[in-house]
Amino acid sequence: MASGPLYLGFDLSTQQLKAIVVASNLTVVSEAKVDFDADFGAKYKIKKGVLTDEAEGEVYAPVALWLESLDLVLTRLRDDAKCPISRIKGISGSAQQHGSVFWNDKAEAALKGLGYSQGGSGSGSGLLEQLDGVLAYPFAPNWQDHSTQAECDLFDAHLGDEAKLAEATGSSAHHRFTGTQIMRMRRKRPEVYKNSARISLVSSFLASVLLGDIAPLEISDVTGMNLWDIANEQWNEPLLELTAGSKDAVPDLRAKLGEVPLEGAEPLGTISPYFVERFGFSKDCKIAPFTGDNPATILALPLRPGDAIVSLGTSTTFLMNTATYKPDPSYHFMNHPTTKGHYMFMLCYKNGGLAREKVRDHLPKPPAGQDPWANFNKAVLDTPPLDVKPGGDAKTSKAKLGLYFPLPEIVPNVRAGTWRYECSAEDGSGLAPVPEGDPRWPPEADARVIVESQALSLRLRSQSLVAAPPGAKSQLPPQPRRVYLVGGGSLNPAIARVMGDVLGGADGVYRLDVGGNACALGGAYKAVWTLEKGPEESFDELIGKRWKEEEAIQKVDDGYREGVFESYGRVLGAFEEMERRVLKEFKN
Ligand code: XUL
């Protein structure tokens, strides 16, 4: 193995802790992981990494599980993956967003005292033993927690309405956002709140353990709290007051949250002696700020402003890097993790792959052994855009639009259900519902319409953030430069085709081939950039030079198709009107 510095990226997700080591040229050198259920399920009684209290709507993870997992993943990295740990020069990483860890007043000293050598402070015991008794609460509320409706209502009302909250903090109130979670902790478990000397996000928790000190909250992850005033780059005083319960209690909450560095570019310090003594890290190894898993995803490639990532998993997530700040209650703006003045635009849907699967299951099943999506894909590709027969009379042709939400949706905020509509293909006029079972609407049409519906929702909400692509193709209408697909659905060619038809992509639609490793790689690349960047060199510049595009991505569709893209543009207003009508009647 060549010599030279190495960089470690962690990803502490809901179900696993992953560690990936890359060289300066971004080549992956070693990796290891801990699967929470497989490795610790019996001990912690967790399912899919979490514990649940159905009656309360609480979802939470034992913090001890993460401490044990950190020791185990590093043991595996050293022993199984044979990683030359002493060459690791910098560490960063990503963690599930919004979760919080409540430290008590013993934490700081215990973190500072971490060690491993015999006769030294730790004397051969692990993180779990050495950090015993440092938590004000043994659990971290998880992003799937939905126990905070009462607090969300108060947050949404506090600055006037949800649009004002979104304007200030980048998002309207969400159950999982940490401000509402902290407020509920104060009201439901006042002793825990009182005993919390510091509150970390999961990203800064992991950085803290590695640093051997409480790490500050990170500038991108802090925007997942409903507490950070994005435009003014400071805590929002009225929202702190709401969370803390009174004006007098605000200084105490500020102390719990700590100061937030306004840039994510500088290392926080060197690694704790514990990791040097136990695993052989260099004592000069630096810890860079960790960020949330969505911000880390946009660091897994040189994502330029105007590029979009569509993550097609169980749910759908859409991410863009943009210099435009146009918040709205139905989506999220977060600070960009590496580029000051840029934002991450994020749409988070509940319905994605599962909803497509339901439609698929209404079609005849392909014979055993064939791709279970074969008939669905054939229906998608055989149905023309919007199911408008080519060559028909443009004035009378009807376009099909639908909403397919087997789960209550957040974008828009409506109850579970399926709605089918028709409108003029020429200008979207005459929008009218189509009853279930109407012979004009066979199950094959649903296959195309659901994928179009998911893509139209993305186009509707991102249209004001995209510009006409510069360069030779400057005559093109505003659209993303590139659309990158990740997640399970990205393997499906019919879905890629519809994403290209609806969203465009002047330079095409690409599949990002990094397995499930995007967040950990984003963390590792962030460590490379933090420690190797030249003066004023941006993350995108440095990673853009070193990234081997041909190994990481594959073109899966041409993207923009003249005529087709415009036909969707003509019904976008009708799609929005359909959502409005459904929302009026079926709001969550
Ligand atoms: C984003 C969110 C999830 C978690 C998953 O707001 O809650 O994507 O970050 O770990």
Side-chain angles (χ1 to χ4, degrees):
M1 199 179 294
S3 57
L6 300 176
Y7 298 89
L8 168 57
F10 282 104
D11 176 29
L12 202 181
S13 74
T14 309
Q15 301 195 50
Q16 56 185 18
L17 175 62
K18 221 177 241 179
I20 292 200
V21 179
V22 303
S24 290
N25 67 2
L26 311 186
T27 310
V28 173
V29 171
S30 318
E31 48 189 300
K33 73 168 189 189
V34 168
D35 179 304
F36 297 149
D37 283 13
D39 287 305
F40 291 110
K43 177 166 180 187
Y44 289 101
K45 316 250 177 305
I46 43 167
K47 262 207 191 108
K48 293 192 184 293
V50 291
L51 297 160
T52 346
D53 180 337
E54 293 285 354
E56 290 283 335
E58 289 182 352
V59 183
Y60 47 97
V63 179
L65 160 74
W66 296 341
L67 292 174
E68 285 208 75
S69 297
L70 182 55
D71 273 340
L72 183 56
V73 84
L74 288 174
T75 305
R76 287 180 179 164
L77 196 66
R78 182 193 58 195
D79 299 346
D80 306 343
K82 306 275 179 260
C83 174
I85 284 184
S86 62
R87 280 172 44 205
I88 296 175
K89 193 176 167 193
I91 305 179
S92 181
S94 90
Q96 50 182 287
Q97 292 200 260
H98 319 297
S100 42
V101 174
F102 296 78
W103 305 99
N104 65 24
D105 59 2
K106 298 197 185 69
E108 200 173 317
L111 285 166
K112 286 186 170 147
L114 284 172
Y116 194 70
S117 55
Q118 295 300 327
S121 47
S123 286
S125 58
L127 289 172
L128 189 61
E129 294 81 14
Q130 293 189 49
L131 293 177
D132 185 29
V134 305
L135 297 172
Y137 190 54
F139 303 108
N142 173 268
W143 61 276
Q144 298 164 95
D145 185 286
H146 47 98
S147 64
T148 53
Q149 186 57 51
E151 288 76 15
C152 281
D153 293 344
L154 293 169
F155 264 70
D156 273 336
H158 201 64
L159 303 181
D161 57 30
E162 55 172 15
K164 296 231 166 54
L165 181 64
E167 180 62 39
T169 68
S171 301
S172 61
H174 289 272
H175 292 143
R176 64 192 191 283
F177 273 50
T178 328
T180 62
Q181 291 285 339
I182 295 173
M183 183 178 178
R184 181 168 185 272
M185 190 64 94
R186 173 179 64 75
R187 303 201 309 175
K188 172 104 184 155
R189 301 182 175 90
E191 281 308 298
V192 168
Y193 182 77
K194 189 165 147 262
N195 293 336
S196 297
R198 296 296 301 267
I199 301 173
S200 290
L201 292 172
V202 184
S203 57
S204 58
F205 155 80
L206 189 53
S208 300
V209 177
L210 289 155
L211 191 63
D213 199 354
I214 304 277
L217 303 181
E218 184 266 348
I219 192 61
S220 179
D221 223 10
V222 79
T223 47
M225 300 179 82
N226 277 142
L227 290 178
W228 186 256
D229 182 331
I230 291 186
N232 296 307
E233 301 186 295
Q234 59 188 13
W235 294 113
N236 181 293
E237 196 68 23
L239 294 170
L240 286 187
E241 194 178 321
L242 174 69
T243 310
S246 71
K247 212 174 185 59
D248 294 348
V250 169
D252 173 56
L253 177 57
R254 275 182 183 278
K256 293 183 199 303
L257 297 169
E259 292 286 328
V260 181
L262 299 182
E263 305 229 17
E266 294 312 315
L268 302 169
T270 48
I271 195 165
S272 154
Y274 172 85
F275 300 94
V276 177
E277 291 159 16
R278 178 159 190 187
F279 298 104
F281 281 91
S282 153
K283 65 176 181 13
D284 299 323
C285 173
K286 298 265 193 320
I287 309 298
F290 283 45
T291 189
D293 47 9
N294 292 296
T297 301
I298 67 171
L299 302 183
L301 69 170
L303 192 74
R304 303 218 207 127
D307 290 348
I309 298 183
V310 186
S311 169
L312 296 162
T314 312
S315 57
T316 304
T317 313
F318 179 87
L319 304 168
M320 277 183 78
N321 166 6
T322 172
T324 311
Y325 184 66
K326 274 194 194 159
D328 180 280
S330 62
Y331 43 74
H332 309 286
F333 271 93
M334 294 182 170
N335 284 326
H336 191 282
T338 60
T339 313
K340 203 161 191 293
H342 277 222
Y343 305 94
M344 182 183 74
F345 168 77
M346 176 165 85
L347 288 164
C348 253
Y349 295 82
K350 275 205 179 140
N351 291 285
L354 236 50
R356 291 191 296 272
E357 223 168 279
K358 286 226 170 219
V359 169
R360 179 196 72 181
D361 293 344
H362 279 101
L363 297 172
K365 234 190 168 79
Q370 260 196 31
D371 175 8
W373 289 91
N375 288 342
F376 179 91
N377 291 358
K378 184 172 180 333
V380 171
L381 297 173
D382 287 354
T383 306
L386 299 159
D387 199 16
V388 177
K389 304 285 169 286
D393 179 357
K395 296 232 173 315
T396 53
S397 290
K398 294 278 188 213
K400 290 190 170 65
L401 298 173
L403 293 173
Y404 301 80
F405 301 148
L407 295 171
E409 184 48 78
I410 11 183
V411 192
N413 188 17
V414 296
R415 277 181 244 156
T418 302
W419 296 272
R420 296 180 181 85
Y421 279 76
E422 272 189 345
C423 66
S424 155
E426 200 182 40
D427 59 7
S429 61
L431 182 74
V434 177
E436 172 102 51
D438 189 299
R440 283 171 304 164
W441 198 307
E444 284 72 18
D446 277 331
R448 175 130 198 146
V449 178
I450 186 176
V451 186
E452 289 180 337
S453 165
Q454 295 178 342
L456 279 166
S457 178
L458 303 175
R459 177 160 163 185
L460 176 68
R461 293 176 167 88
S462 59
Q463 60 181 344
S464 61
L465 303 178
V466 293
K473 290 182 171 175
S474 61
Q475 299 310 308
L476 296 185
Q479 61 186 291
R481 184 187 72 108
R482 283 186 175 185
V483 176
Y484 293 102
L485 304 180
V486 295
S490 69
L491 299 169
N492 185 318
I495 295 176
R497 170 74 196 236
V498 175
M499 288 292 155
D501 281 348
V502 179
L503 293 174
D507 195 31
V509 179
Y510 295 78
R511 180 148 62 88
L512 184 61
D513 270 328
V514 289
N517 290 340
C519 311
L521 278 176
Y525 294 175
K526 188 165 187 286
V528 174
W529 173 71
T530 308
L531 290 153
E532 293 198 0
K533 65 180 182 307
E536 309 292 311
E537 191 176 20
S538 73
F539 180 87
D540 291 353
E541 281 164 358
L542 183 139
I543 298 302
K545 278 184 224 144
R546 302 184 190 187
W547 196 55
K548 290 171 217 66
E549 181 169 300
E550 58 294 347
E551 286 173 21
I553 57 173
Q554 200 190 328
K555 192 164 186 175
V556 287
D557 189 70
D558 288 337
Y560 177 73
R561 257 180 285 276
E562 194 178 347
V564 176
F565 180 83
E566 288 75 7
S567 69
Y568 288 106
R570 287 193 286 274
V571 299
L572 205 57
F575 183 84
E576 192 175 14
E577 172 60 21
M578 168 178 70
E579 280 195 353
R580 231 191 323 265
R581 287 194 202 171
V582 170
L583 194 58
K584 200 165 159 214
E585 218 176 321
F586 301 98
K587 193 171 185 321
N588 259 322

